[in-house]
Amino acid sequence: MGKTLHPGPQKKSVVPAPEHWVSPIPFGLGKMKPKHIRDTMKVAWENKDNLGYAANILTKGVCDGCALGVSGLYDQTLTGPHVCTTRLNVLRLNTMPAIKPEILHADIDELRKYDSSELRKLGRIPYPLIRRKGERKFSRITWDHAMEMIALKMRKLDPKQFAFYLTARGITNESYYAAGKVARFLGTNHIDNASRICHAPSKTALKRSIGVGASTCNYLDWIGTDVLLFWGSVASNSSPVSSKYMLEAKKKGTKIIVVNPYREPAMDQYWIPSNPESALFGTKIADDFYQVNIGGDIAFMHGIMKHWFDMEEKVYGSAINHEFVEAHVNGYEELKKKVQDQSWEAIVESSGVSKERIIELAKLLAGSKNAVYAWALGLTMHSFATDNISQVANLALLRGHLGRKHAGLMPFRGHSSVQGSGEMGADPFVLPGGGWDGNTVERIEQLWGFELPKWQGDIVGVTLENIVLPETHERKVKLYYLSGGNFLETMPDPDFIKKALSELEIRVHQDIILNTSTLVDAKEAVIILPAKTRYEQEDGGTSTSTERMVYFSPEIPGNKQKVEEARAEWKIFINLAKRVKPETAHLVDFADGYAVRREIAKANPDYEGIQHLKEQGDVFQWGGAWLCEDGICPTPDGKGSLIPVEIPDLNKKPEQFIVTSRRGKQFNSMVYNEVDPLNGAGRYDVLMSAVDGQKLSIAEGEGIVVYNGFGVFQGTAKFVEIAPGNIEVHFPEGNFLLPRGRYEKFAGIPDYNITVHVEKAERYNARKDTVYLEKPIPELEIEVG
């Protein structure tokens, strides 16, 4: 049977639904809510010097914000125009002029007075720059000189001593592909990308559970499914257009359930600016919240399954879809035993949710013919993240919620084309169209015409640690080539990251703008290369959305503030290859963007069709509407696997809290508002339960200290609806509490959750003055997870 194709965008319901309104008072007057109209006017004002080009980006380009994949103003889910504040906030990166020379070439300490938000507003990088050891300011340098310096250094180094990293700021599939190919051509497997610090476990878990590392369904499947379950995701905040789909789903009778420690206001009530009804009266998004403990999700899911097996003992087939399980699933008895071995006491203690509430959700899912399970960083940023997501897959497999309309598993990705990064091979464990298995290596070597390095490359966190290895170590990283990214604000232990970055001999930042990490010293030189935006890339570029739609974004002419010396990212990588290995560089050369896409179609068979994308609006979906269609998985026996997983022990003492990070009004680490318009929280507010505040005699608004053996965070108590025993701090401000070197064992994601103590600031400071606090030795500390 052939694959079912996506039907394309569907019409929105025009019938008002007052039952979903937040308030009959127009525009949510008197309520805390985002001021979308005001924010839109502000964006228009910011872009007033290049308004025509800004309008063309919005109407002709594929969104470089979140991973929904809006092409121009339209997407493949609902008819009608879509635009959101996330997209509007990143618009200025594409329209602004170059940084003024008197600021760009000021003393480095003057530049260091700016934070990343302020650096971003200075404008674009105008031309290649260099700052050598001991120099106080950046100097202009020619492209030839800059590239020759990098190439000369690479020729001197063992390929195990240099590394590449690509972030997710609008980078196209063509750039990911060229970077992955060039890295291997230059002899290194140290290449990684931003999904390593957000969604790598999703891919790893789905691969082992169902044989494929991508969303099995579409946004269209939300609309009319029985249950849409959001796990550790604030979809309405990270991808605001998705709130439109949620409203349509509710109108079709879908129940929306959110599992998250914090009752996130954006998933509770939201005013959708481009939907007149919602803009006026708001939308009640979630039908129910289950406020689990941070790290309590596995136990919570054990509880759901435990009740399912109890239901089965009374009435066969009342909870498990036996027909689906027998035909399409392995490991049923082993999972059943593992689940039944769990005690309700352990489940309730770890999850923080009562047995009655867990049973309530178990019954809802057991009675639902269809369900879509969507998740984000709340499940992925743990040391047991792969197990978290395999446990979600266990739920879907037991109920047969897979491979058909209105059912499936969806990692809810945050950035445009981060889905494409691994599929293009910009990852130490994968090549285009496969892993590092013998067949894929042989196939790619034949296509590319050169031998691949056979040693295992390191993930980004390990690469950073390898910078401080002894001088003689074969894996001591001496040159780091970064396309975007700011490790100072995305990785745990920022103090260590700063030290590591400064110990590199040469550090290359290929980017649109400066950030705080570009200003850190290096032993020999910091080289900065001005990149083109995706809208300036010759012959256009492609990006892959969460739902596997591959969109073509054309080159958009007419930028009044064009940076003349900026170059397309994929071309910079090719230029580097030509300089390091001129004699064989024809093997990685491409005549144009179309040639890159033609080769991608050969390298990754899923992308057959990408070579035909040429015009604005061109799109195809790899894999068809549903992966694992009719329950048949791309595994050796065609079946999915149920994976028994343990309830993690977080080693949390009764007086401790678990802390996790959250995003406010920001795009990754790029902060756009100092105060979150949805809850009024400032960047240094610590979100905690009033119950915990009372226990510790902490008043709202009082100064508090959050600390552990790794760091200290001074903030202000803000009481919110969060599960007691859990607190949240903003990312990246709270990263000082997180130790380096703790990675999820399957996917290598850093752990962004840890145990901490919380105290009134005055008590902590008084105690610090009188008691000598011994600095713990990290190796002797008990680890979380």
Side-chain angles (χ1 to χ4, degrees):
M1 182 183 156
K3 287 172 183 160
T4 304
L5 296 178
H6 192 285
Q10 305 296 298
K11 283 193 173 138
K12 294 194 288 287
S13 162
V14 290
V15 182
E19 66 273 24
H20 303 313
W21 292 357
V22 173
S23 161
I25 300 164
F27 301 110
L29 293 171
K31 291 188 175 287
M32 184 173 289
K33 63 181 277 290
K35 297 187 169 47
H36 290 124
I37 295 163
R38 188 196 67 186
D39 288 350
T40 304
M41 300 306 290
K42 196 172 129 199
V43 167
W45 180 256
E46 271 179 358
N47 290 277
K48 66 183 183 297
D49 56 355
N50 208 351
L51 213 47
Y53 187 63
N56 281 339
I57 286 173
L58 292 177
T59 54
K60 296 176 182 165
V62 172
C63 175
D64 55 346
C66 81
L68 288 182
V70 178
S71 176
L73 294 174
Y74 300 92
D75 69 9
Q76 296 299 305
T77 306
L78 293 174
T79 54
H82 310 295
V83 71
C84 76
T85 47
T86 298
R87 187 176 184 189
L88 293 174
N89 280 331
V90 296
L91 181 61
R92 188 60 177 156
L93 294 177
N94 304 289
T95 67
M96 61 188 175
I99 304 172
K100 292 187 171 80
E102 62 271 23
I103 295 175
L104 183 60
H105 299 290
D107 187 272
I108 193 69
D109 284 341
E110 287 302 306
L111 283 174
R112 285 174 180 158
K113 287 176 184 170
Y114 295 101
D115 63 23
S116 281
S117 296
E118 293 161 336
L119 287 168
R120 181 173 76 238
K121 288 172 187 164
L122 293 178
R124 286 180 61 177
I125 298 161
Y127 36 71
L129 297 162
I130 189 165
R131 191 167 69 85
R132 295 176 183 83
K133 186 184 178 182
E135 291 181 345
R136 299 295 311 156
K137 44 186 83 165
F138 284 109
S139 311
R140 187 170 183 168
I141 186 174
T142 64
W143 268 102
D144 271 351
H145 190 179
M147 297 305 285
E148 208 45 61
M149 271 188 77
I150 301 163
L152 183 66
K153 189 70 177 174
M154 283 187 169
R155 285 199 294 270
K156 285 182 183 169
L157 294 176
D158 182 308
K160 292 189 175 116
Q161 296 182 320
F162 56 83
F164 292 87
Y165 174 83
L166 294 91
T167 190
R169 51 121 182 89
I171 289 180
T172 58
N173 286 327
E174 292 80 359
S175 295
Y176 285 127
Y177 182 80
K181 185 176 183 182
V182 165
R184 272 62 186 238
F185 172 74
L186 297 178
T188 189
N189 279 325
H190 294 325
I191 178 164
D192 211 352
N193 67 79
S195 76
R196 181 75 48 215
I197 46 181
C198 58
H199 259 294
S202 298
K203 184 176 171 182
T204 311
L206 290 175
K207 275 266 191 200
R208 76 174 183 177
S209 291
I210 57 170
V212 65
S215 173
T216 69
C217 56
N218 308 287
Y219 299 120
L220 212 46
D221 293 313
W222 294 10
I223 301 167
T225 186
D226 297 323
V227 179
L228 172 54
L229 239 160
F230 282 105
W231 225 291
S233 166
V234 192
S236 50
N237 200 18
S238 59
S239 305
V241 172
S242 69
S243 54
K244 273 190 176 179
Y245 315 154
M246 295 181 220
L247 175 55
E248 289 306 302
K250 289 181 78 74
K251 286 185 173 185
K252 288 268 175 76
T254 298
K255 273 198 164 16
I256 296 180
I257 307 291
V258 179
V259 183
N260 203 48
Y262 173 32
R263 190 181 177 109
E264 283 280 358
M267 292 301 283
D268 197 3
Q269 304 176 343
Y270 200 76
W271 283 258
I272 305 164
S274 53
N275 178 296
E277 180 189 357
S278 181
L280 272 171
F281 304 114
T283 299
K284 286 186 280 194
I285 290 182
D287 290 282
D288 208 347
F289 274 87
Y290 287 84
Q291 291 181 252
V292 294
N293 284 330
I294 296 162
D297 306 278
I298 285 173
F300 183 66
M301 290 182 260
H302 271 313
I304 292 168
M305 292 187 282
K306 189 172 177 70
H307 188 67
W308 284 352
F309 291 126
D310 289 347
M311 288 170 72
E312 283 294 318
E313 293 200 350
K314 290 175 189 155
V315 181
Y316 180 82
S318 59
I320 307 296
N321 182 339
H322 291 285
E323 191 185 343
F324 184 90
V325 169
E326 279 158 28
H328 302 296
V329 181
N330 293 319
Y332 179 77
E333 290 303 329
E334 297 91 312
L335 180 75
K336 183 178 176 183
K337 181 177 186 317
K338 167 61 77 179
V339 170
Q340 289 183 321
D341 283 348
Q342 311 300 320
S343 72
W344 274 110
E345 292 73 30
I347 288 167
V348 169
E349 187 188 355
S350 175
S351 70
V353 181
S354 70
K355 180 179 176 182
E356 294 68 32
R357 287 280 283 148
I358 296 173
I359 287 172
E360 206 179 290
L361 183 56
K363 284 179 177 171
L364 175 67
L365 289 171
S368 300
K369 183 185 171 204
N370 299 311
V372 173
Y373 304 79
W375 65 89
L377 307 188
L379 284 194
T380 62
M381 291 181 127
H382 289 272
S383 58
F384 39 85
T386 299
D387 284 352
N388 270 343
I389 292 141
S390 281
Q391 188 81 318
V392 180
N394 289 341
L395 297 180
L397 288 168
L398 288 172
R399 290 289 306 125
H401 291 153
L402 186 70
R404 56 189 167 79
K405 191 175 181 179
H406 293 150
L409 293 158
M410 180 180 279
F412 198 74
R413 294 207 173 250
H415 294 108
S416 179
S417 209
V418 72
Q419 179 66 40
S421 57
E423 290 164 357
M424 296 299 105
D427 180 310
F429 303 113
V430 302
L431 290 165
W436 266 95
D437 54 285
N439 290 344
T440 306
V441 169
E442 192 180 328
R443 182 175 64 79
I444 293 295
E445 284 184 337
Q446 279 185 346
L447 176 68
W448 286 354
F450 58 84
E451 203 176 317
L452 301 178
K454 299 299 190 296
W455 47 273
Q456 176 58 55
D458 287 324
I459 57 171
V460 54
V462 173
T463 313
L464 286 163
E465 288 168 33
N466 287 355
I467 297 167
V468 299
L469 285 171
E471 196 57 42
T472 52
H473 198 288
E474 66 160 6
R475 283 199 183 220
K476 181 179 176 68
V477 171
K478 296 181 178 182
L479 182 151
Y480 218 137
Y481 193 115
L482 308 163
S483 174
N486 182 355
F487 293 142
L488 286 181
E489 293 178 14
T490 51
M491 296 299 285
D493 195 353
D495 288 336
F496 168 77
I497 298 299
K498 188 174 181 181
K499 177 177 184 283
L501 292 179
S502 67
E503 290 206 12
L504 285 160
E505 291 177 7
I506 287 186
R507 205 172 64 249
V508 183
H509 294 270
Q510 176 174 302
D511 214 334
I512 299 166
I513 51 170
L514 296 177
N515 64 50
T516 50
S517 73
T518 54
L519 308 179
V520 174
D521 293 334
K523 279 185 172 173
E524 291 174 16
V526 177
I527 296 170
I528 297 180
L529 304 174
K532 286 191 170 183
T533 70
R534 70 161 51 168
Y535 308 116
E536 296 167 332
Q537 185 172 298
E538 293 88 349
D539 312 315
T542 60
S543 57
T544 309
S545 77
T546 291
E547 56 182 350
R548 297 172 279 105
M549 294 280 178
V550 183
Y551 287 93
F552 179 76
S553 191
E555 181 185 355
I556 299 175
N559 185 357
K560 275 173 33 184
Q561 308 195 127
K562 188 177 178 186
V563 173
E564 293 296 340
E565 289 203 41
R567 292 186 178 179
E569 302 216 41
W570 69 263
K571 291 189 170 183
I572 305 173
F573 291 119
I574 304 301
N575 184 295
L576 178 66
K578 287 177 175 177
R579 288 168 186 273
V580 180
K581 289 181 158 183
E583 58 293 341
T584 49
H586 61 277
L587 296 170
V588 292
D589 201 7
F590 293 104
D592 52 30
Y594 302 104
V596 183
R597 290 189 279 278
R598 283 195 296 274
E599 189 171 293
I600 289 171
K602 292 177 188 166
N604 186 338
D606 285 334
Y607 277 72
E608 170 56 43
I610 194 172
Q611 70 274 34
H612 306 308
L613 305 183
K614 290 183 174 136
E615 304 292 329
Q616 181 202 328
D618 283 358
V619 59
F620 79 95
Q621 184 182 36
W622 73 256
W626 306 296
L627 300 183
C628 308
E629 189 163 357
D630 300 324
I632 299 158
C633 295
T635 54
D637 64 358
K639 293 185 175 188
S641 292
L642 294 165
I643 312 274
V645 298
E646 301 290 339
I647 293 178
D649 179 5
L650 303 181
N651 293 310
K652 176 180 170 288
K653 300 182 180 81
E655 71 279 7
Q656 287 181 318
F657 290 78
I658 301 275
V659 65
T660 195
S661 60
R662 82 183 283 276
R663 310 300 196 269
K665 190 74 170 168
Q666 66 196 96
F667 182 64
N668 195 11
S669 62
M670 288 160 63
V671 176
Y672 285 98
N673 261 7
E674 288 304 308
V675 175
D676 187 332
L678 290 151
N679 64 2
R683 302 299 302 178
Y684 287 87
D685 278 346
V686 177
L687 306 187
M688 64 186 297
S689 158
V691 174
D692 291 325
Q694 209 172 359
K695 273 187 199 163
L696 297 169
S697 307
I698 289 168
E700 181 146 35
E702 188 173 3
I704 59 173
V705 176
V706 180
Y707 66 96
N708 57 17
F710 306 103
V712 174
F713 179 86
Q714 308 217 25
T716 307
K718 181 167 182 61
F719 296 157
V720 297
E721 280 192 68
I722 190 170
N726 302 270
I727 61 170
E728 295 196 6
V729 294
H730 279 98
F731 170 100
E733 287 83 352
N735 287 359
F736 287 95
L737 294 165
L738 304 169
R740 69 180 185 276
R742 296 172 353 133
Y743 303 106
E744 201 270 352
K745 63 181 177 220
F746 301 106
I749 195 166
D751 189 357
Y752 284 87
N753 310 271
I754 194 154
T755 52
V756 290
H757 292 274
V758 176
E759 267 185 51
K760 287 160 87 83
E762 55 183 53
R763 182 167 183 269
Y764 175 85
N765 290 323
R767 207 164 45 80
K768 198 171 70 170
D769 289 343
T770 56
V771 181
Y772 171 65
L773 281 179
E774 184 187 351
K775 183 157 176 62
I777 299 162
E779 287 74 30
L780 303 180
E781 285 286 288
I782 296 172
E783 292 195 347
V784 176

